[in-house]
């Protein structure tokens, strides 16, 4: 979004520069034809440059206000807020790393088969004793 506004400002500055060049050519032609003096032509160009500079600052202020309002409306964090968030994330990652137990390295190769044996009790092993009288 910020890039878009920069492009608008640069495009506007380019248009102003092109207009100033055309104006200068027109002034030069008028001076050649003797319709205005060189000093008058210089004054017109200087006045245009001063006016353009003041309007450029006003335009930049207005664009900045619009950008700020857009960021606030859409709750886009400022670069300073983003830096704070990055620092918090890094601190939290370090804390998680610190609190996470280290796991032993996994062994490579096929897992070994384990066999389980079950004990079977048979009736012959279990002996019942007759009750005593």
């Amino acid at each position: 979004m910020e890039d878009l506004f920069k492009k608008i400002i640069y495009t506007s500055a380019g248009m102003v520069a092109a207009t100033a060049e055309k104006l200068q050519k027109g002034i030069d032609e008028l001076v050649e034809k003797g319709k205005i003096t060189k000093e008058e032509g210089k004054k017109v160009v200087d006045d245009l440059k001063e006016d353009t500079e003041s309007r450029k600052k006003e335009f930049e202020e207005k664009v900045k206000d619009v950008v700020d309002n857009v960021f606030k409306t859409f709750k886009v964090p400022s670069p300073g807020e983003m830096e704070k968030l990055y620092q918090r994330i890094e601190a939290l990652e370090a804390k998680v790393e610190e609190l996470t137990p280290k796991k032993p390295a996994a062994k490579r190769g096929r897992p070994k088969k384990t066999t389980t044996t079950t004990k079977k009790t048979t009736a012959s092993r279990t002996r019942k004793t007759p009750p005593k009288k």
Side-chain angles (χ1 to χ4, degrees):
M1 174 83 70
E2 189 175 330
D3 289 338
L4 173 66
F5 289 112
K6 284 182 182 179
K7 287 179 184 178
I8 290 171
I9 289 173
Y10 292 142
T11 302
S12 300
M15 290 171 43
V16 168
T19 303
E21 285 179 27
K22 286 183 180 181
L23 178 68
Q24 184 64 50
K25 286 181 184 178
I27 296 289
D28 290 344
E29 287 176 14
L30 290 173
V31 169
E32 284 178 21
K33 292 180 182 176
K35 295 190 176 184
I36 61 171
T37 65
K38 195 170 187 175
E39 290 79 28
E40 289 173 330
K42 183 174 177 358
K43 182 172 178 2
V44 169
V45 172
D46 290 343
D47 289 346
L48 175 70
K49 285 182 181 179
E50 285 178 29
D51 188 49
T52 302
E53 280 300 314
S54 66
R55 289 181 188 258
K56 176 185 168 192
K57 290 177 183 173
E58 289 175 26
F59 181 72
E60 287 175 349
E61 288 293 321
K62 287 181 182 179
V63 169
K64 184 181 180 310
D65 290 342
V66 168
V67 170
D68 289 344
N69 286 333
V70 167
F71 283 172
K72 285 178 186 173
T73 300
F74 292 107
K75 297 181 180 175
V76 176
S78 70
E81 291 170 330
M82 287 298 294
E83 183 60 33
K84 287 179 184 176
L85 288 171
Y86 289 135
Q87 290 172 357
R88 285 184 62 194
I89 290 170
E90 287 174 359
L92 289 170
E93 286 175 339
K95 189 132 192 150
V96 167
E97 183 71 26
E98 187 179 297
L99 295 173
T100 304
K102 304 293 181 212
K103 295 181 181 177
K107 295 180 182 179
R108 293 190 174 201
R110 289 184 172 215
K112 294 181 180 179
K113 287 187 177 180
T114 56
T115 56
T116 56
T117 56
T118 56
K119 282 188 176 180
K120 293 184 180 178
T121 56
T122 59
S124 61
R125 287 189 182 170
T126 315
R127 195 161 116 191
K128 294 182 182 178
T129 55
K132 294 185 181 179
K133 291 188 180 178

